[in-house]
Amino acid sequence: MVTFLFTAEMVTRLYVFRIDFFIYERMWNCFDLIILFLALVEIALEIVVRSLAGTENSVFDGGGTAKMMRLIRLTRLLRLVRTFRQLKPLRMLVRSIMAAGKSVFWALLLLFMIVYVFGVVLTQAVTEHTEGGDRIEDDNLISKT
């Protein structure tokens, strides 16, 4: 199904851009054509193999190299980062957050240590107050094991 949609997209792009398809962003478009060609070859070979073997499973059940190539195609989204030049404040904010990551890590580690030490001290104090569990006034709190 995805290969069919990808084929429809490529045919539409070829029809709309005609010769400009191979001029502008030539490398990405050639990459897309190679992926499409490999996917169509894989589907054709799978149809031939399944027809010769006589199995009745659907051709589109399994994955394969074409699926991996389509996933690699998602790297085209990285081009969007280049086009958003007007997002300089956002990039500055992201860099600042990444630079502050080390300080945030140590602050969280210190907070965890404080909570841990408080828990140990509180447990020790409760154990001493109840004399090791022997002096508990409420019978509901006593575990009978």
Side-chain angles (χ1 to χ4, degrees):
M1 182 64 179
V2 175
T3 305
F4 173 73
L5 293 174
F6 192 33
T7 305
E9 176 195 359
M10 290 303 289
V11 168
T12 306
R13 285 174 49 197
L14 280 168
Y15 177 74
V16 169
F17 293 117
R18 290 187 174 81
I19 193 69
D20 290 340
F21 181 82
F22 298 102
I23 296 174
Y24 299 108
E25 298 184 5
R26 174 181 43 183
M27 298 302 280
W28 284 112
N29 292 333
C30 289
F31 180 65
D32 288 344
L33 283 174
I34 290 170
I35 290 173
L36 179 63
F37 177 74
L38 290 174
L40 292 175
V41 166
E42 182 178 5
I43 288 175
L45 287 175
E46 195 166 344
I47 289 172
V48 169
V49 167
R50 287 181 191 241
S51 66
L52 292 176
T55 60
E56 296 180 10
N57 293 338
S58 174
V59 174
F60 304 105
D61 285 347
T65 56
K67 186 178 283 188
M68 294 303 286
M69 294 297 282
R70 284 191 299 267
L71 289 175
I72 293 172
R73 183 177 182 262
L74 291 176
T75 58
R76 294 185 66 186
L77 293 176
L78 296 176
R79 290 188 303 168
L80 293 176
V81 175
R82 289 187 311 178
T83 60
F84 292 128
R85 296 289 182 204
Q86 55 272 53
L87 295 179
K88 188 174 182 179
L90 178 63
R91 285 192 308 225
M92 186 184 313
L93 179 67
V94 170
R95 283 189 194 133
S96 299
I97 290 172
M98 289 173 52
K102 186 177 178 182
S103 300
V104 170
F105 169 75
W106 289 112
L108 288 174
L109 184 66
L110 180 64
L111 181 64
F112 172 75
M113 289 173 50
I114 290 170
V115 169
Y116 179 75
V117 169
F118 177 75
V120 170
V121 169
L122 182 65
T123 303
Q124 185 67 30
V126 169
T127 303
E128 287 179 11
H129 177 72
T130 62
E131 296 172 1
D134 295 334
R135 204 189 80 180
I136 299 177
E137 289 84 15
D138 191 0
D139 291 336
N140 294 331
L141 296 177
I142 298 175
S143 173
K144 297 176 181 166
T145 56

